[in-house]
Amino acid sequence: YLYVAGMTCGSVISTSLGNGQILTPGVYCTGAASSLDGDLILDGQGDPDALFIFQIDGLLSAGILSNVILINAASLDNVYWQINGALNLADNAIFKGTVVGNGAISLMEGASLLGRGLTRAGAITLNNNTVGPGPAPLPITLTSFDANKCDTKTCADLTWKTAGEFNSDYFLI
């Protein structure tokens, strides 16, 4: 917590995050309690080691169906949220990265924390949530997938090839 809190801020951003906002790698800070509504897009710009650090000086609340989206090689392993207060994720919010907080962490019904949630003070409250490293990889290595329209409106010809399959006995489409 203290290590991330002590990093030099690269950009002061608004306390209102999301609504299609796109951020590139860097250290971002807000001067007060903040909110996340809609989609916050973190663009790794093709660098799998791209680092995103957020220093929130107070509570962080993510609204219903809010979503942190990682694109262009951004990795949840390189996203850190230092929150000097509580974290509240509303129903069905999807939050990504490592939270190092100084208050309670509350996940409402169906909210997901893909990463880790650590707190120096306060409880962690869960309500039918997904918490962890994110979705597991598929048990196949897909090398090609093609879809072609048939002669009728209700038909498609699907073909695929795999290079390897693990622990699977059929495909369901």
Side-chain angles (χ1 to χ4, degrees):
Y1 178 88
L2 294 175
Y3 177 77
V4 177
M7 296 183 108
T8 302
C9 180
S11 298
V12 177
I13 57 175
S14 169
T15 57
S16 297
L17 303 171
N19 295 312
Q21 179 180 23
I22 300 172
L23 296 175
T24 55
V27 179
Y28 298 94
C29 54
T30 67
S34 302
S35 62
L36 169 64
D37 289 300
D39 294 336
L40 173 63
I41 302 164
L42 305 181
D43 183 349
Q45 299 182 318
D47 181 1
D49 296 322
L51 187 60
F52 297 86
I53 296 174
F54 295 89
Q55 299 169 333
I56 309 295
D57 194 14
L59 165 82
L60 176 59
S61 294
I64 293 172
L65 298 173
S66 293
N67 193 3
V68 176
I69 298 172
L70 307 177
I71 63 170
N72 297 326
S75 168
L76 67 88
D77 293 335
N78 296 326
V79 177
Y80 294 89
W81 301 85
Q82 180 265 322
I83 303 169
N84 189 22
L87 170 65
N88 295 326
L89 301 183
D91 293 352
N92 301 307
I94 300 173
F95 200 78
K96 294 179 180 148
T98 297
V99 174
V100 287
N102 198 26
I105 298 175
S106 300
L107 281 66
M108 296 297 105
E109 186 68 32
S112 298
L113 173 57
L114 304 179
R116 297 176 288 182
L118 310 167
T119 179
R120 294 172 12 130
I124 297 176
T125 305
L126 304 174
N127 295 289
N128 297 315
N129 308 107
T130 299
V131 177
L138 293 174
I140 64 168
T141 302
L142 189 65
T143 59
S144 70
F145 185 90
D146 295 305
N148 296 303
K149 185 177 176 183
C150 296
D151 296 337
T152 66
K153 290 183 180 180
T154 60
C155 176
D157 180 27
L158 305 177
T159 58
W160 63 88
K161 292 182 183 175
T162 63
E165 300 172 16
F166 176 75
N167 243 359
S168 62
D169 58 354
Y170 64 92
F171 296 97
L172 179 63
I173 298 177

